[in-house]
Amino acid sequence: ARHRAVVMSLLRRAAIRAVGAARAAAGALPGFAAQQQQQGVAAAATSAARLVKTTAYDVGSSTNIKWHESHVTRDVREKLLGQKGCVLWFTGLSGSGKSTLAYTVEHALAERGKLAYVLDGDNIRHGLCKNLGFTAEDREENIRRIGEVSTLYADTGVITLVSFISPYRGDRDAVRALMPEGDFIEVYMRIPLSVCEERDPKGLYKAARAGKIKGFTGIDDPYEEPLKPEIQIQVAEEGGDLAPPAEMAQTVIEYLEKNNYL
């Protein structure tokens, strides 16, 4: 306790000296420059006060944690970008076209001068989630991690395109619950298993049917369909053909325009 008191005293003295020096410098500056310097002084004083009054707490298994608020709000970031941050969550069976559509939407938005970024399930397993497998527990943790990351992306004002099978409804709902109302936009690639298996772009269905892959979604692991997705993409009535990616992307873009994200 005595050590903490000494540290706090030193911090207060340092803050007072810094503020005093800044004020003296501000007095020598004319007009607008002085005003800017004085605003910096106020910010420094506020930061110093927060530093002295900081209290820590526990979060999960972590101890001595403190949430730090930015002086730049989300509204400011979104005004800089000229768009509203959100998470477009593409879900569906393997081979349903999630990543193809997500990257097509990203490209279309870039052509409009809008900032978007794709978080792809396979790509994320190269780094952030490379220590996870495909058990129910690992799938849950996989979605939890990307849910937290996508929440941060949306908060920066970026239109975030998440392409994950995310087979369990509860996991997707948990991600939705992390975000403010309207940030989470579920895009359900409602493509029948038969169509996905016929397409089989990675040869995964063939391997799963041969018993070489265990716990494969749609074969020996369930996929829980969204109940009320904001956007639904499905095959044509006749022939089971998917619309061209650019056409499907336009459906997504129109939703964003209609709901004032662009």
Side-chain angles (χ1 to χ4, degrees):
R2 182 174 180 277
H3 177 71
R4 177 178 174 79
V6 171
V7 171
M8 292 298 100
S9 176
L10 290 173
L11 287 171
R12 289 191 188 94
R13 292 176 186 176
I16 290 170
R17 285 197 296 269
V19 170
R23 282 176 175 163
L29 294 172
F32 178 76
Q35 181 182 2
Q36 293 296 100
Q37 186 67 52
Q38 288 166 359
Q39 289 175 351
V41 168
T46 301
S47 297
R50 286 177 176 171
L51 182 61
V52 171
K53 295 178 182 179
T54 293
T55 56
Y57 45 82
D58 297 346
V59 179
S61 299
S62 300
T63 59
N64 300 313
I65 304 300
K66 175 71 177 181
W67 182 269
H68 295 275
E69 285 291 346
S70 172
H71 296 299
V72 180
T73 66
R74 176 172 175 170
D75 285 345
V76 170
R77 291 189 288 268
E78 291 181 335
K79 286 178 181 178
L80 287 171
L81 294 172
Q83 63 188 46
K84 182 180 178 182
C86 63
V87 174
L88 287 155
W89 192 280
F90 296 83
T91 178
L93 293 170
S94 177
S96 61
K98 299 180 299 298
S99 293
T100 299
L101 178 54
Y103 281 110
T104 303
V105 172
E106 180 190 40
H107 184 255
L109 288 171
E111 288 188 328
R112 290 167 173 251
K114 302 301 180 181
L115 181 60
Y117 192 83
V118 176
L119 297 172
D120 179 77
D122 281 358
N123 292 356
I124 294 298
R125 283 184 179 271
H126 281 75
L128 180 63
C129 297
K130 67 180 180 181
N131 64 321
L132 299 176
F134 291 91
T135 64
E137 293 77 14
D138 280 0
R139 287 180 184 273
E140 179 181 355
E141 175 60 14
N142 188 45
I143 299 306
R144 188 195 69 80
R145 291 183 192 181
I146 198 62
E148 292 287 355
V149 171
S150 60
T151 299
L152 295 175
Y153 270 62
D155 189 58
T156 68
V158 173
I159 298 171
T160 314
L161 312 168
V162 179
S163 174
F164 276 61
I165 293 174
S166 46
Y168 307 137
R169 190 179 301 123
D171 292 346
R172 299 191 302 268
D173 289 346
V175 175
R176 184 188 291 271
L178 290 172
M179 305 180 194
E181 182 75 24
D183 272 15
F184 186 90
I185 303 165
E186 195 168 35
V187 183
Y188 176 30
M189 302 298 291
R190 191 184 178 190
I191 315 302
L193 174 62
S194 59
V195 175
C196 294
E197 191 166 358
E198 183 179 347
R199 297 181 69 215
D200 201 11
K202 303 175 185 176
L204 299 178
Y205 284 100
K206 184 177 180 180
R209 291 293 187 189
K212 296 178 181 179
I213 300 177
K214 300 296 183 182
F216 190 76
T217 302
I219 303 301
D220 56 355
D221 203 65
Y223 178 80
E224 299 171 357
E225 293 186 319
L227 299 178
K228 294 182 179 180
E230 281 75 12
I231 301 173
Q232 181 168 281
I233 305 292
Q234 60 189 64
V235 296
E237 291 291 337
E238 299 179 3
D241 296 324
L242 283 170
E247 186 177 318
M248 292 189 290
Q250 186 58 34
T251 299
V252 177
I253 299 280
E254 288 174 0
Y255 178 91
L256 295 175
E257 289 177 332
K258 180 180 178 181
N259 291 278
N260 301 315
Y261 291 94
L262 304 181

